[in-house]
Amino acid sequence: MPRPFHRPTQFSGSEFEAFQGGDDPATMNRVAHESASALVARVKHDPSPEILDRLVTFTDQHGIDAVAELWARASPHSLPGALWRIYLVRAVIRQNPVEVTQLFERGVEVATTIDPVVAGAPAPASPEEILELADLILRGVFVGDFAIALERGAAFCRLAAAGATSVADDQDAAGSDRASELTRRALRFSELGVDLVACAHLWRDDSLD
């Protein structure tokens, strides 16, 4: 995925914007699926540390829009759709690791499921540890069990969503305008989690393409 260096794209605080790709939807869809399949197959065949490091840090150098142009318009329940969402989760964490860690930690506090175990983050977690978790999840997509990596990403999203909802409730009770923003973020994290779980199930059924 060669692309000249430019400043990484930033997201608004309230939501993760959708990206628009090329003019021909059929062509873009074909390129998305072919590039995603080729990339996963290549890394599975040759999982060298150098290649993995380049893939994990690709958006740090080239921006999340470099990945979005390939995969953001693909079906949410497809291989390129899954890759796009994992990269997107990592990008959101890296944009504001302190705030995301706070939401994640609140989500762990209010969780009544095994999501904290599935996500695999220490408790309590520091922003540095959450950044490391994001890298590990993305790395696991390429060299580990693909479905498990997606499920870890989904668990993280559910916890961040639960945390954002809980903090939003606090802010709403205090009469803060930030409650609406946090509620939107919770919804987006929740949607990402649902899509990642669906992709994990399709992968296990050998029907994620």
Side-chain angles (χ1 to χ4, degrees), residues 138-150:
L138 179 55
R139 189 176 293 267
V141 164
F142 295 112
V143 296
D145 185 305
F146 190 88
I148 289 178
L150 297 186

Side-chain angles (χ1 to χ4, degrees), residues 26-94:
T27 298
M28 292 302 297
N29 186 63
R30 175 177 57 80
V31 170
H33 285 262
E34 290 179 354
S35 61
S37 297
L39 181 62
V40 171
R42 179 188 174 186
V43 180
K44 293 291 185 184
H45 177 71
D46 180 21
S48 68
E50 294 79 9
I51 291 177
L52 288 172
D53 288 342
R54 285 170 57 193
L55 287 173
V56 170
T57 62
F58 181 83
T59 57
D60 298 344
Q61 298 180 4
H62 302 282
I64 190 65
D65 56 334
V67 176
E69 288 174 5
L70 279 175
W71 298 331
R73 296 181 67 182
S75 166
H77 303 162
S78 67
L79 181 58
L83 291 175
W84 159 241
R85 281 157 178 77
I86 286 292
Y87 270 103
L88 180 59
V89 170
R90 181 183 180 276
V92 170
I93 292 171
R94 292 192 67 82

